Amino acid sequence: MSLNESTVENAALEWLGELGYAVAHGPHIAPGEPTAERDSFSEVLLVGRLRDAIQRLNPAVPGEARDEALRKVLRVATPSLSQANRAFHRMLRNGVPVEYPRPDGGIAGDHVRLVDFHDVNANDWLAVNQFTVIEAQHNRRPDIVVFVNGLPLGLI
């Protein structure tokens, strides 16, 4: 048996599948394909999966507040990459802070969860191979990206 990169990649995908991950091939979910999960190669999040997870994990939070949380995740506005990473980590760990009007006219503050840390089976686990990301003149294609609720949290 010949051991090469594709053999190792396929074995890893099979192993992740056995652990309960859904498995997809990057070219099949790429922009322009019938089963596309993003609009352009510059997008690194799977927004549809993230939107579904936010709704599923936060049913008591009004829709407008869930939409606001999604916008905050998509546009982490900080002056540096390290600050953006810290801000995203806080949102991932603690939830995204949102406010919305209560029926009594007051304002409620809440946190929209992005990941269910108590019931891991409530999350959407996806392993994708050959997930191409193009930013400026840089074309990157990791062997495998692990997504949790549409968020790329692991690279192989």
Side-chain angles (χ1 to χ4, degrees), residues 118-140:
H118 300 290
D119 178 9
V120 296
N121 294 320
N123 297 303
D124 173 40
W125 298 87
L126 174 68
V128 179
N129 74 325
Q130 301 300 312
F131 186 82
T132 300
V133 176
I134 301 173
E135 184 180 45
Q137 301 299 321
H138 303 286
N139 183 336
R140 294 183 172 88

Side-chain angles (χ1 to χ4, degrees), residues 137-151:
Q137 301 299 321
H138 303 286
N139 183 336
R140 294 183 172 88
R141 187 173 31 249
D143 290 334
I144 299 173
V145 180
V146 174
F147 291 90
V148 179
N149 297 335
L151 299 167

Side-chain angles (χ1 to χ4, degrees), residues 9-155:
E9 185 177 306
N10 289 330
L13 287 172
E14 186 176 324
W15 177 69
L16 289 166
E18 289 170 1
L19 289 174
Y21 288 71
V23 174
H25 300 287
H28 297 165
I29 65 169
E33 294 300 317
T35 55
E37 293 211 29
R38 55 195 176 134
D39 294 328
S40 77
F41 283 104
S42 64
E43 295 177 11
V44 295
L45 303 178
L46 302 178
V47 178
R49 288 176 185 263
L50 179 56
R51 183 180 291 111
D52 291 347
I54 287 173
Q55 182 175 349
R56 185 178 64 255
L57 299 176
N58 303 278
V61 176
E64 298 87 20
R66 292 191 306 254
D67 292 343
E68 176 188 350
L70 180 61
R71 283 190 298 275
K72 286 181 176 181
V73 172
L74 294 176
R75 290 177 182 76
V76 178
T78 59
S80 75
L81 182 58
S82 64
Q83 288 176 330
N85 285 339
R86 283 189 203 96
F88 176 74
H89 182 259
R90 275 191 303 277
M91 289 189 286
L92 184 63
R93 188 186 65 222
N94 303 328
V96 181
V98 294
E99 292 183 343
Y100 52 88
R102 292 189 309 227
D104 67 4
I107 300 293
D110 209 340
H111 284 82
V112 170
R113 295 183 306 150
L114 303 176
V115 174
D116 190 328
F117 290 105
H118 300 290
D119 178 9
V120 296
N121 294 320
N123 297 303
D124 173 40
W125 298 87
L126 174 68
V128 179
N129 74 325
Q130 301 300 312
F131 186 82
T132 300
V133 176
I134 301 173
E135 184 180 45
Q137 301 299 321
H138 303 286
N139 183 336
R140 294 183 172 88
R141 187 173 31 249
D143 290 334
I144 299 173
V145 180
V146 174
F147 291 90
V148 179
N149 297 335
L151 299 167
L153 298 184
L155 291 174

Side-chain angles (χ1 to χ4, degrees), residues 2-14 143-144 156:
S2 171
L3 185 64
N4 58 38
E5 183 177 344
S6 119
T7 303
V8 173
E9 185 177 306
N10 289 330
L13 287 172
E14 186 176 324
D143 290 334
I144 299 173
I156 300 173

